[in-house]
Amino acid sequence: MKRDLSSHILLSFIKKLAVFLLFIAPSTYADWQLNLREGVTEISRSVYSLHMIIFWICVVIAVVVFGVMLWSVIYHRKSRGAKAQNFHENVYVEIAWTIVPILILVGMAVPATATLKKMYDSSESDIDIQVTGYQWKWRYQYLESGVDFFSSLATPIEQIQGESEKTENYLLEVDNPLVIPVGKKVRFLITANDVIHSWWVPDFAVKKDAIPGFINESWVKAEHTGIYRGQCAELCGKDHGFMPIVVEVKSQEDYQLWLKDQQLAQAEKAKSAEKRWTLDELMVTGKEVYMKSCAACHQANGEGVPGAFPALKGSPLVQGDPGAHIDVVLNGKAGTAMQAFRDQLSATELAAVITYERNAWGDSLGDIISPSQIAKLKQ
Amino acid sequence: MSATEQTVSADMQHGEVNTQDTEHHHGPAKGFSRWLFTTNHKDIGSMYLWFSLAMFMTGGCMALLIRMELFQPGLQMMQPDFFNQMTTMHGLIMVFGAVMPAFVGLANWMIPMMIGAPDMALPRLNNWSFWILPFAFSMMLFTLFMEGGAPNFGWTFYAPLSTTYAPPSVTFFIFAVHMMGISSIMGAINVIVTILNMRPKGMVMMKLPLFVWTWLITAFLLILVMPVLAGVVTMMLMDIHFGTSFFSAAGGGDPVLFQHVFWFFGHPEVYIMILPAFGVVSEIIPTFSRKKLFGYSSMVYATSSIAFLSFIVWAHHMFTVGMPLAGELFFMFATMLIAVPTGVKVFNWVATMFRGSMTFETPMLFAIAFVVLFSIGGFSGLMLAIAPVDFQYHDTYFVVAHFHYVLVPGSVFSIMAAAYYWLPKWTGNYYNEKMGKLHFWLSFIGINITFFPMHFVGLAGMPRRIPDYALQFADFNAVSSVGAFIFGFSQLLFIYNIVSCIRTKNQATPEVWEGAKGLEWTVPSPAPYHTFTTPPKVD
């Protein structure tokens, strides 16, 4: 990143001041980025240049206005013997300082309109991906190739709670990143399953709200391969700060390979439901799934959060008829935060997590919900 | 243009002043009933101001909790859900409990004295509109102790997070908002009726002090938008309890409708919080520049234009919801246009200082800081108006920096300036100038350390309303937290100064400030319990 000398000196001064103020060494990965990123698309670069133009216009106006003010504060003070003048209006000056700003604004509006128009043109895309916001993860569905997966935070809870060292991409890493090819126009169809989220990747200058019942469009044509990170940008409840977005831009060949792998893995997953599972196997998988998909609300110990999320431990639903229990997990509960996990998890994962809930926390009912049973219900 | 000249003088003949405070049954009642049953605009004004100070400290404590959590990455102090409750309550309390009541308090105290009226036009309504507030805010604060916690969906309470997915306390929040709305509407009616009907002969509209003008326009905004807020929270109530689906897509409703209705209220609301501040600053700068306000009539027209524009720009808060291109362009252009009348105001203040004879008492320091820092908030506002770039700024700390620059060194500084400016008139004593200046400088430095770095983390990509953040934002967040504590604790000086100003005898003259012009400076200090029972002569 190029910085001129003066801003460099200013920056190092601020740095020293902060260190002095805090008496603590700045965190290893912290930096002092001051400005917007230029990004990796044609759109993001024109957004960046619009940003810089309007910024410098503001700086020039500020220097002039605050300059006159500072001049008056220094030279027209009573302690210097300044006598107040009598003028209190001047039609010409007043007209001038109304007209000139209007002209500046028109000058600004023209390039802004052009950029906005380009951003809105999502036609003739090469690939279409549906992006769905869930509390608190993203789902990516590749409409042409049928690849479909969820993407959630990969940072371990120990790092968040300060029990282990925070790593470089703290809170900006996911289990399954979105993968797109370089140089292709990728159209995103953005929606949400529960509350409003917002899908934002700063390097693409794409931010669009994901709204239940609406499908918003946006697009990107990335110019370089690489990994680009963003975050949900609309308050969506408790874990709003913990649903990052990671996009991997791959070369065309790598992208094709990745697609094949995904399709194979999906077929593999479907098959696993046909296998016979033991209680212990289901409990192991179930615990993994529970921690990933359920513990955020119902807590790791199954006790929930009183008034917000019900306890599963000792719950009549969990201890009662398996049918009702399965129904809630698969189809969610209308009017509450309980989501439908039918599409989010595979039959095996669903069976495992339900089995886990029925047998963990000392509620050992000993019953097994088999993956094949769930697979039938899912059809 | 002698017609617009603001040379105002009151009849100060002794006999008339005496009728104001000799008759014993005109004095205040004793004890608590004085405050409970009072219809006196000065008593009610004081109650509003104390209430707002209490709310300012309450909301401030919440802000400090937020800044404590954000001092370092990771979760240290609180769980995310409680963090969301804090940001929500901080916003609601500061907007509806601190800034708005403070301006109503100033209006109560000053509008009758500035226009030469004996009291507000509707004194009983006035009493009621104040006394609703403590109940509304107690109810809202008590939701913190409810099962499921206080509202946690942000002060903008976007549906469906605030309806289908809200904690049970949302119903109490809705009731509290209704009460605040009733209070505001009644206060606004009172201001309008007072200004339009209670002016003495000769006090024509274009002679009104600017504080009165800006409040008149603010009051119209309040009457127009508070019912819209009441409407939107009622729709929420229906969705939550009566099975309607205004905002629920599953029932055929429209979550974006919520945002349109909310911001149709919300954008004029932010001008409700800044127009009276413009008025205060337009009183203070001429006084301490010893020079008439530059461009009085253009100030009135600029304020009216801002008020008008505030109704056609609401969707600039929603550039990312996926409006059609034409909608985006309309709201972008309309929003950019606001810079013109706002610029006129700033230029007028600077021209008032230019070639004046300035001194820098505490109110003037706050007023000058207001002009500079509010303008910085205005610049970032202009940047946010550019829709394609707003996609990068929207819902980041850049926005947090922007609206805190216009609200804290904007509205809040103007309220502090007004308090120092009129305290000697209210209490009859000068406040401690040295301590006032110390309060100013600590606040000024604290506020900039807090909010300026937020521009940087916002541009670098930090979303707002998150309890924990990626590591590259750590350093600036630590700096912000340090600034917040400097600003927060320096407010104790403000409270101490107010209390000691009330209790320490340091007799102020009726005029108080050398360059002060206007009717309020013609009555003795402290202002008697009843002023202008006989209309003053205005020429």
Side-chain angles (χ1 to χ4, degrees):
Chain A
M1 199 187 210
K2 273 180 277 173
R3 284 204 193 97
D4 62 21
L5 192 66
S6 61
S7 75
H8 196 81
I9 293 169
L10 184 71
L11 213 67
S12 67
F13 171 73
I14 297 172
K15 240 186 235 183
K16 277 177 194 139
L17 184 75
V19 174
F20 170 75
L21 277 172
L22 303 173
F23 293 105
I24 56 161
S27 163
T28 340
Y29 301 106
D31 67 16
W32 298 85
Q33 184 187 338
L34 298 174
N35 205 350
L36 218 55
R37 274 173 270 194
E38 270 197 81
V40 291
T41 66
E42 189 196 335
I43 295 283
S44 76
R45 275 198 310 275
S46 61
V47 164
Y48 179 80
S49 74
L50 279 174
H51 160 76
M52 290 317 288
I53 294 170
I54 187 80
F55 171 72
W56 286 114
I57 290 175
C58 289
V59 169
V60 170
I61 298 172
V63 166
V64 173
V65 175
F66 299 158
V68 174
M69 199 168 140
L70 192 66
W71 175 273
S72 315
V73 165
I74 293 170
Y75 293 102
H76 305 147
R77 53 170 69 212
K78 197 186 170 201
S79 55
R80 278 199 163 211
K83 291 270 179 301
Q85 304 280 304
N86 265 325
F87 66 87
H88 55 85
E89 54 195 356
N90 183 325
V91 181
Y92 298 108
V93 172
E94 290 177 57
I95 290 177
W97 69 36
T98 312
I99 301 292
V100 172
I102 292 180
L103 295 177
I104 296 173
L105 290 175
V106 171
M108 196 59 229
V110 172
T113 305
T115 304
L116 194 62
K117 269 181 149 168
K118 266 193 262 166
M119 289 175 131
Y120 262 68
D121 178 17
S122 55
S123 62
E124 292 175 25
S125 59
D126 300 310
I127 298 169
D128 300 305
I129 300 173
Q130 185 181 327
V131 177
T132 312
Y134 285 71
Q135 277 182 328
W136 294 280
K137 51 188 156 276
W138 295 97
R139 179 185 193 180
Y140 301 113
Q141 288 162 286
Y142 291 65
L143 297 187
E144 287 86 4
S145 51
V147 170
D148 176 357
F149 59 90
F150 281 81
S151 172
S152 46
L153 181 73
T155 302
I157 186 89
E158 294 77 30
Q159 286 191 22
I160 296 170
Q161 289 177 342
E163 289 153 10
S164 67
E165 185 79 14
K166 295 178 176 45
T167 45
E168 187 178 351
N169 292 314
Y170 177 70
L171 296 190
L172 295 178
E173 51 203 347
V174 296
D175 48 3
N176 307 308
L178 175 69
V179 176
I180 59 171
V182 73
K184 295 275 182 200
K185 187 166 182 174
V186 180
R187 183 169 65 138
F188 301 113
L189 301 162
I190 302 171
T191 185
N193 180 58
D194 34 50
V195 300
I196 301 176
H197 305 266
S198 189
W199 198 80
W200 179 33
V201 179
D203 280 308
F204 299 162
V206 168
K207 183 186 286 150
K208 255 296 144 55
D209 289 357
I211 303 170
F214 283 75
I215 293 178
N216 277 328
E217 285 187 14
S218 200
W219 63 274
V220 65
K221 195 171 181 180
E223 289 168 355
H224 307 287
T225 54
I227 295 176
Y228 304 101
R229 296 169 200 277
Q231 282 179 273
C232 174
E234 179 64 62
L235 177 63
C236 54
K238 185 168 79 67
D239 285 347
H240 163 54
F242 305 92
M243 50 181 293
I245 294 147
V246 179
V247 183
E248 241 185 284
V249 179
K250 288 186 191 275
S251 69
Q252 186 59 35
E253 302 81 61
D254 289 350
Y255 172 72
Q256 290 303 340
L257 284 177
W258 175 86
L259 261 191
K260 283 233 171 65
D261 279 354
Q262 291 298 307
Q263 283 161 335
L264 277 178
Q266 244 162 333
E268 198 70 22
K269 247 187 179 174
K271 255 194 217 155
S272 81
E274 289 158 21
K275 184 192 137 193
R276 249 193 118 71
W277 288 72
T278 66
L279 179 61
D280 288 344
E281 283 172 335
L282 284 172
M283 285 297 281
V284 171
T285 313
K287 186 166 185 184
E288 271 169 31
V289 178
Y290 183 84
M291 289 306 175
K292 206 179 106 191
S293 299
C294 317
C297 298
H298 296 294
Q299 306 300 307
N301 58 12
E303 284 169 10
V305 177
F309 307 111
L312 299 183
K313 185 179 174 179
S315 138
L317 180 78
V318 173
Q319 305 217 312
D321 167 43
H325 186 181
I326 293 169
D327 179 55
V328 170
V329 176
L330 256 64
N331 303 317
K333 200 166 172 185
T336 71
M338 181 62 196
Q339 307 169 0
F341 285 91
R342 179 184 283 272
D343 300 325
Q344 296 195 35
L345 302 173
S346 72
T348 312
E349 287 168 328
L350 284 165
V353 79
I354 295 167
T355 308
Y356 176 75
E357 286 173 358
R358 298 179 75 78
N359 292 289
W361 318 304
D363 297 349
S364 312
L365 298 176
D367 54 356
I368 294 180
I369 309 296
S370 73
S372 53
Q373 186 184 345
I374 301 291
K376 258 183 230 132
L377 284 172
K378 274 187 84 170
Q379 278 157 11
Chain B
M1 280 170 99
S2 61
T4 61
E5 286 197 6
Q6 215 190 337
T7 43
V8 155
S9 78
D11 195 334
M12 278 288 291
Q13 283 164 17
H14 234 58
E16 291 203 19
V17 173
N18 276 347
T19 59
Q20 293 175 351
D21 54 0
T22 45
E23 294 191 48
H24 67 279
H25 60 266
H26 278 178
K30 293 275 177 285
F32 184 65
S33 61
R34 165 180 176 181
W35 302 104
L36 193 57
F37 300 123
T38 185
T39 54
N40 180 289
H41 73 101
K42 299 185 180 77
D43 281 354
I44 295 173
S46 300
M47 289 196 294
Y48 264 113
L49 289 168
W50 281 116
F51 175 78
S52 114
L53 187 60
M55 285 296 120
F56 180 62
M57 298 312 283
T58 311
C61 289
M62 292 172 177
L64 291 188
L65 283 175
I66 293 169
R67 285 311 329 167
M68 263 199 265
E69 176 56 57
L70 292 175
F71 181 68
Q72 281 187 327
L75 294 177
Q76 291 89 19
M77 307 283 305
M78 56 185 84
Q79 288 304 304
D81 191 54
F82 186 71
F83 181 89
N84 289 344
Q85 293 176 33
M86 285 295 102
T87 52
T88 306
M89 296 297 269
H90 164 74
L92 291 169
I93 285 173
M94 287 305 197
V95 168
F96 295 103
V99 174
M100 290 173 71
F103 281 127
V104 181
L106 292 173
N108 258 295
W109 253 103
M110 301 320 298
I111 288 176
M113 276 164 55
M114 287 176 127
I115 66 173
D119 203 310
M120 296 295 278
L122 308 162
R124 283 167 207 277
L125 198 74
N126 205 9
N127 173 295
W128 194 31
S129 52
F130 170 75
W131 276 110
I132 287 177
L133 285 182
F135 293 95
F137 281 91
S138 309
M139 182 152 68
M140 206 162 78
L141 282 169
F142 274 115
T143 58
L144 278 167
F145 306 103
M146 280 183 67
E147 206 176 63
N152 55 6
F153 30 67
W155 85 274
T156 51
F157 50 100
Y158 280 9
L161 188 62
S162 63
T163 53
T164 316
Y165 297 84
S169 58
V170 65
T171 310
F172 292 84
F173 154 81
I174 291 171
F175 193 19
V177 168
H178 271 304
M179 286 163 77
M180 292 166 208
I182 291 169
S183 162
S184 291
I185 291 171
M186 290 194 303
I189 291 173
N190 216 343
V191 166
I192 293 172
V193 179
T194 306
I195 296 171
L196 295 185
N197 292 306
M198 306 266 293
R199 282 169 293 134
K201 205 161 172 260
M203 180 61 87
V204 294
M205 292 303 277
M206 290 310 273
K207 274 190 191 173
L208 287 178
L210 258 172
F211 178 70
V212 180
W213 252 118
T214 52
W215 238 113
L216 179 66
I217 293 165
T218 304
F220 276 105
L221 290 185
L222 276 168
I223 287 189
L224 287 165
V225 301
M226 291 315 276
V228 178
L229 175 67
V232 79
V233 293
T234 307
M235 287 154 95
M236 281 168 60
L237 188 78
M238 301 291 282
D239 271 10
I240 295 167
H241 293 295
F242 301 105
T244 58
S245 297
F246 289 110
F247 307 130
S248 151
D254 180 349
V256 181
L257 173 69
F258 173 90
Q259 297 182 28
H260 281 296
V261 183
F262 176 82
W263 285 112
F264 188 82
F265 145 80
H267 200 78
E269 166 68 21
V270 303
Y271 291 150
I272 286 165
M273 292 190 285
I274 201 67
L275 295 185
F278 290 164
V280 166
V281 170
S282 304
E283 299 297 326
I284 291 173
I285 288 179
T287 297
F288 296 96
S289 303
R290 291 165 184 75
K291 184 159 160 279
K292 266 181 71 172
L293 181 70
F294 189 90
Y296 171 86
S297 39
S298 72
M299 281 296 211
V300 173
Y301 300 137
T303 312
S304 314
S305 327
I306 293 174
F308 169 73
L309 286 173
S310 77
F311 283 101
I312 56 165
V313 296
W314 76 87
H316 67 216
H317 298 269
M318 309 160 48
F319 277 146
T320 61
V321 298
M323 277 183 292
L325 183 62
E328 299 265 333
L329 290 175
F330 171 81
F331 285 106
M332 172 167 86
F333 298 150
T335 306
M336 290 167 84
L337 219 48
I338 297 175
V340 177
T342 314
V344 166
K345 302 197 82 118
V346 174
F347 300 146
N348 280 337
W349 290 320
V350 173
T352 307
M353 289 187 250
F354 188 69
R355 297 202 162 269
S357 169
M358 278 193 274
T359 51
F360 303 94
E361 289 84 348
T362 311
M364 184 62 161
L365 291 176
F366 273 106
I368 292 176
F370 170 94
V371 176
V372 175
L373 300 180
F374 171 78
S375 300
I376 291 177
F379 288 135
S380 56
L382 184 57
M383 295 171 79
L384 284 157
I386 314 293
V389 197
D390 177 75
F391 295 154
Q392 292 284 47
Y393 306 144
H394 179 80
D395 262 329
T396 68
Y397 262 79
F398 191 78
V399 176
V400 178
H402 158 72
F403 70 73
H404 280 96
Y405 259 88
V406 289
L407 272 176
V408 187
S411 307
V412 173
F413 269 24
S414 85
I415 292 164
M416 287 171 180
Y420 284 114
Y421 184 54
W422 283 310
L423 256 181
K425 179 56 65 190
W426 299 336
T427 64
N429 299 315
Y430 285 107
Y431 58 87
N432 183 334
E433 188 64 55
K434 259 194 189 145
M435 201 187 291
K437 283 186 173 153
L438 182 65
H439 170 226
F440 166 75
W441 283 110
L442 285 174
S443 298
F444 179 81
I445 293 167
I447 216 112
N448 283 297
I449 296 178
T450 312
F451 297 119
F452 211 78
M454 290 186 184
H455 290 112
F456 303 140
V457 283
L459 292 176
M462 177 166 165
R464 62 190 284 211
R465 294 166 163 170
I466 55 173
D468 192 6
Y469 46 81
L471 299 177
Q472 68 261 36
F473 310 127
D475 293 339
F476 279 130
N477 268 291
V479 173
S480 279
S481 291
V482 171
F485 276 82
I486 297 175
F487 178 68
F489 280 89
S490 56
Q491 301 322 307
L492 297 176
L493 282 176
F494 183 43
I495 297 176
Y496 184 82
N497 212 343
I498 294 170
V499 174
S500 75
C501 178
I502 294 167
R503 305 180 73 166
T504 318
K505 195 86 194 133
N506 183 7
Q507 184 61 49
T509 60
E511 199 195 15
V512 180
W513 309 108
E514 189 186 52
K517 298 266 180 338
L519 284 177
E520 79 265 38
W521 308 109
T522 63
V523 300
S525 298
Y529 200 55
H530 295 285
T531 39
F532 300 120
T533 42
T534 329
K537 273 191 199 134
V538 183
D539 46 45

